[in-house]
Amino acid sequence: MTGPGGRSDEPRTWFVDPLTGQPLEAETEKTGPIPVVRDPAPARRRLRLRPTLGVIGLIVVLAVGTTATYQARTAPPPPAPSLVLPDPVMPTRIEPVIAGWQPVQSDDHPLVFDVPPDWKLEEPDVAVGYETPAGDLVTLQGVARYHRDFCPASDLAARAMAGFTTIDEGEVGGTAQAAEETTLRWAEAAYGSLGEGRSPKTEIGKADPVKMLDGGATATAVTTTVVPAPDGPCPAPSVAITAIALPLRALPGSGRYHVLLVLADQGIPDAVARDIVLKMGGTIRRE
């Protein structure tokens, strides 16, 4: 007999159930795909390096300073107490250039200068400033003061004060002009308001070179003498405002002239002389 769906000239063998007489499927047709026998135990997962382990490894490399190779292992990582961290590095103490003097630092200027031992140093993050009658603000950072608080009527009282300030490169034509302009701005800010808005009487001195320690650069010093208004608190007969302007190559790329400014009362006992101020300027160096 032929089975259904086959050709008439193609013989096909049928198998009949002897009890029912119904045809049976050929063995080839009843054979299905071999079932997949799964292992009842779950497959082992491959370990992956988690980001947390990578962070721990990075900390070890940075702390110990060695190169580490990481492998995925089933063992737990070493406990934290076994990680040896280096001792903290203490900041290097800056020594004065002049024996017995004190180095003055500023958080806003990468420069240091020295002052005599009887000056009082402010903290490096302290800024002292004045406002001009026009509302402009001038500030000093890295401040040291001489005979501080001698005048109870003024919070900023001192017979002398020194610190770093700046003036933009585009506002002046060189170190001499930077120094002169800085002294005039401070004369206006610190003493102009004492004369009810009138500009104080000033006398500008000549520019002098100052040899710096840092790289043998030469700065320029200008001293302007100011006569304060007589009705100000604890006035002095005059004040010498000296600005020592550093060349641009001392701090290239900043776009500013960095200036060591010293305001010193004159005509009083123990006044700070100009040669001491220039000596202070000669100690300017990079931090």
Side-chain angles (χ1 to χ4, degrees), residues 51-189:
T52 53
L53 180 59
V55 172
I56 294 175
L58 178 61
I59 294 174
V60 174
V61 171
L62 294 179
V64 182
T66 59
T67 302
T69 302
Y70 304 103
Q71 297 178 349
R73 297 182 300 180
T74 57
S82 66
L83 299 178
V84 179
L85 299 177
D87 294 332
V89 179
M90 300 303 292
T92 304
R93 172 179 170 81
I94 297 178
E95 298 294 336
V97 174
I98 301 176
W101 284 32
Q102 310 171 81
V104 185
Q105 297 175 261
S106 166
D107 283 352
D108 296 314
H109 299 263
L111 299 167
V112 182
F113 69 101
D114 293 347
V115 295
D118 52 353
W119 287 56
K120 302 296 184 182
L121 276 56
E122 304 292 347
E123 294 295 328
D125 60 348
V126 169
V128 176
Y130 291 90
E131 185 176 5
T132 67
D136 298 325
L137 184 67
V138 293
T139 59
L140 289 182
Q141 291 89 23
V143 178
R145 295 196 278 179
Y146 174 67
H147 286 185
R148 183 175 58 181
D149 300 330
F150 80 96
C151 177
S154 174
D155 293 336
L156 297 178
R159 282 305 188 188
M161 181 170 62
F164 285 115
T165 187
T166 61
I167 186 168
D168 290 343
E169 175 185 358
E171 298 183 60
V172 292
T175 55
Q177 189 177 358
E180 179 180 320
E181 179 63 24
T182 300
T183 63
L184 294 176
R185 289 185 182 183
W186 276 83
E188 183 74 16

Side-chain angles (χ1 to χ4, degrees), residues 132-134 188 190-200 228-232:
T132 67
E188 183 74 16
Y191 303 102
S193 59
L194 301 179
E196 298 180 354
R198 298 190 303 270
S199 296
D231 54 349

